[in-house]
Amino acid sequence: MSATEGLNLTLKVWRQKNDKEQGKMETYQVSDISPDSSFLEMMDILNEQLIAEDNEPVAFDHDCREGICGSCSMYINGEAHGPGREITTCQLHMREFKDGETIFIEPWRAKAFPVIKDLVVDRSAFDRVMNAGGFISVNTSGNTQDANAIPIDKHDADKAFDAATCIGCGACVASCKNASAMLFVSAKVSQLSLLPQGKVEAKERVQNMVKQMDEEGFGNCSNTGACEVECPKGISLENIARMNREYLKSGIS
Amino acid sequence: MSTLDSKIPEGPIAEKWTNHKNNIRLVNPANKRSIDVIVVGTGLAGGSAAATLAELGYNVKAFCYQDSPRRAHSIAAQGGINAAKNYQGDGDSTYRLFYDTVKGGDYRSREANVYRLAEVSTNIIDQCVAQGVPFARDYGGLLDNRSFGGVQVSRTFYAKGQTGQQLLLGAYSAMSRQIGKGKITMYNRHEMMDLVMVDGKARGIIARNLVTGEIERHSAHAVVVGSGGYGNVFFLSTNAMGSNVSAGWKIHKKGAYFANPCFTQIHPTCIPQHGDQQSKLTLMSESLRNDGRIWVPAKKEDAEAIRAGKLKPTDLKEEDRDYYLERRYPSFGNLVPRDVASRAAKERCDEGFGVGTNETGEAVYLDFSSAIMRYGQEEANVKGLHNASDKEIKELGTKVVEAKYGNLFQMYEKITADNPYETPMKIYPAVHYTMGGVWVDYNLMTTIPGCYAIGEANFSDHGANRLGASALMQGLADGYFVLPYTIGDYLADDIRTGEISTDSKEFEEAEKSVKEQVDFFVNNKGKHSVDYFHKLLGKIMWNKVGMARNEKGLKEAIAEIKELREQFWKEVSVPGSADGINQELEKAGRVADFLELGELFARDALERNESCGGHFREEYKTEEGEALRDDKNFTYVAAWEYTGEPSKAKLHKEELKYENIELKTRSYK
């Protein structure tokens, strides 16, 4: 790749010292960015530049950089994980941008996800929802029945798998005008209620998880579907419908 | 030179584990409630251990540097998990899994540990299914299997290309349940900074709260390290950006021996580096080698023309291509083990036949065109299209390949912007896994009483080369089924100890030295960033301690790493302060430890005058260029004791005895 093909970009980045102080957008320039670089590699270059100028680099969450850990969480040009469908921020590449472009980079915005520094938010609300019921109550002794003792309809197994691919990044919450966590919570509720092993405590699970979700301050679902569009794993809205059915059922008997 | 006591139980190999479990001491449920255990790391090993220990009744304090335990790097494992279930009725057994693993490891692992691993492998699958892990199933509703490199049976369970994710989320759910009950106290965004020892026993850790910057004291009756591998010593690897050796290295400096650091797996099929701005490498699953053919141009001028962009790979005729794996290893072809495939790719590129766009031309082709045509022809036959054109056949074949590998092809295209259905993929080996790690005995205890190491962080099961789909198996075996038993034998002495106070001089001193290091970093005001040093270290490691090593290079590496480390401590620059989130400060501490580990790594490689598995010394090879083991002199585990200078570490040898498997030369010709 020759140097002449490098991109020169203007970045508007949210800077915030901690959860107490006010933040604001700052403007930076980066130049000669290879179109083959990933978005986060571009951020690395910005940070190297800031360090060289004796400034504090931009803090952002990232880890696996292959779209599976769910750490990265940038709101780029008004979209969770930026342009492109079914990708995380770390899978976004600079060839999606044009030379001379201005890029706006913000953290997830939601009451339940307070910003703790720059682009880093606190997503521990998701963990607390999981602690409330996102599991099957089986001990880990290994003395369970044989794995093939209960055949599971392939159709249900595949649906459970699709729901289970959620990476817990929070893009659904960030994309929702109500900052609702319904897609996240329903993915886990669906996965476990579709499997025979999870049916036993399905009622308690959905009740407990929804209760915790509400306590964390996530908004309500108004079925606009932005979450599904921005979800890097393509988790379907069907899951929300399934959770609503499960929830309704759990209140009847 | 001392002999290490690996505490392998007496008796026939198939009965060792059962007998051992019957003989070790237990802690009664009421007493467990007054015992605390710290678990560092929440991947498959740490996460499953934390959940199980809490369920048994211990008070668990679990730590991870990520913002949630669900993000540990086990999540990125793709292919699958082995288990000797023999659901396929293809002759699999505990013994065969044991045998394959020992042979795959080039006869440098401990028989008793590997046998136990094979033995508990079946429980893992039962456990995970009970937890709701959605493994792939067939239309009859039963579990499906695939096969992986180096074996002759189908024993790999999988969940599409996301097996690691699904298993980790299973362990995370088991943890969540215990966190909800209050049996696990979870410390997210916390990093272990040092081990605290009281009266010669591990009694706690010093941790840094990565959000507030606070340095905290945490005490326990035992400390379990499940912090993963150290592949990031190479800077570029398939590991997560935050993966580090620090927890393992801190305990090493406090007395835990570090074993076989030079045993590192370089995975043959990764997306090559695109330039200097690259931050990490991405794996393309081993499963692709079932159908892809690996080649480089047969003529140097063609390779040069391709590198210069004047020629396309699809322009090259069949006779101008060198399918070097099929040529060198006719019986295994493209499915030779990882270490062999990686070295062969390097050999071609070093000779000038590489096709990469970077200056060294480091890339070879992984080509699906013949698979596409082969599958297309089969489909045409099935559909009764007897006069199908090449174009039609190609279309049919593309659909088949897409169904098998669609997500991987898509991932490749996202990263490279090349369409692998039309042009061959470019791949090159990259650092992927570390077989070496903290030395542990049969009970998974390190040489520090009360300090345990599990999963990739220990050295125990994979010898000099790990087979595909065995990392997940080992992590969960250690965490769910081995450590929770063996730790009781040690903790039985602690039922009357009571809570360990953090108001002791040992905690005070450990905290003080951690604070001093943190203060040093933020006040040093040097002229280079942490990454500057990390990249230089990575270059030394890759060029001199990478896929091929020799005495001269290793000696140079030791000297260069030492020099770089001195420069680091003089010139490193960490902006910002220590009283809040400071990602540069986190990196500085980790790179400081890599700069020490790298030196020991090179020393270990220098000491091992043989080639085995992933460790290839250019001086020790057959006439055909294959690895040449020296069983007479090197059938041992090299366990290093820290003495102050990494390369001056003291070597302890654990002799490996093969009583159940005969040592043989691996051949894939």
Side-chain angles (χ1 to χ4, degrees), chain A residues 37 63 66 95 127 140 146, chain B residues 55 87 172 277 280 415:
Chain A
S37 285
D63 206 21
E66 50 190 79
R95 63 180 82 92
D127 281 334
T140 58
D146 185 83
Chain B
E55 194 168 277
Y87 281 160
Y172 166 71
Q277 299 177 347
K280 78 150 275 173
I415 293 173

Side-chain angles (χ1 to χ4, degrees), chain B residues 259-318:
Chain B
N260 300 335
C262 80
F263 288 168
T264 300
Q265 180 161 82
I266 317 261
H267 198 294
T269 53
C270 299
I271 300 178
Q273 217 181 321
H274 63 68
D276 290 342
Q277 299 177 347
Q278 187 133 2
S279 60
K280 78 150 275 173
L281 298 167
T282 304
L283 177 74
M284 289 275 103
S285 169
E286 176 162 308
S287 60
L288 292 172
R289 282 197 283 146
N290 282 294
D291 281 314
R293 296 179 74 194
I294 294 175
W295 64 275
V296 292
K299 295 183 201 146
K300 261 188 206 171
E301 56 268 32
D302 288 344
E304 276 159 23
I306 285 174
R307 287 201 296 271
K310 290 176 192 152
L311 195 66
K312 288 203 294 260
T314 42
D315 296 337
L316 249 60
K317 290 199 211 72
E318 211 45 39

Side-chain angles (χ1 to χ4, degrees), chain B residues 5-6 110 113 257 259 437-447 451-454 457-460 654:
Chain B
D5 183 6
S6 49
R110 192 190 283 155
N113 283 52
Y257 295 177
V438 179
W439 186 89
V440 288
D441 63 16
Y442 188 75
N443 295 318
L444 305 182
M445 185 147 83
T446 69
T447 45
C451 182
Y452 292 78
I454 56 176
N458 75 26
F459 86 104
S460 74
E654 179 199 338

Side-chain angles (χ1 to χ4, degrees), chain B residues 387-438:
Chain B
N387 295 313
S389 68
D390 278 0
K391 187 164 168 277
E392 285 168 310
I393 291 175
K394 192 178 163 194
E395 271 168 24
L396 290 168
T398 301
K399 281 201 187 117
V400 177
V401 169
E402 192 179 349
K404 286 176 87 116
Y405 308 113
N407 63 333
L408 294 167
F409 276 49
Q410 191 193 15
M411 185 155 101
Y412 181 86
E413 191 170 356
K414 272 177 199 163
I415 293 173
T416 64
D418 275 345
N419 177 355
Y421 295 102
E422 297 296 333
T423 183
M425 283 184 184
K426 278 195 256 184
I427 53 158
Y428 199 68
V431 175
H432 179 58
Y433 184 89
T434 50
M435 284 75 70
V438 179

Side-chain angles (χ1 to χ4, degrees), chain B residues 477-515:
Chain B
D478 285 0
Y480 279 139
F481 306 130
V482 180
L483 176 93
Y485 280 105
T486 59
I487 202 169
D489 192 40
Y490 173 81
L491 292 171
D493 284 333
D494 270 321
I495 55 175
R496 289 198 182 81
T497 308
E499 200 181 332
I500 307 288
S501 168
T502 55
D503 281 330
S504 62
K505 69 172 194 320
E506 289 87 353
F507 273 95
E508 198 178 305
E509 278 164 17
E511 185 190 84
K512 188 165 161 271
S513 75
V514 166
K515 280 187 170 158

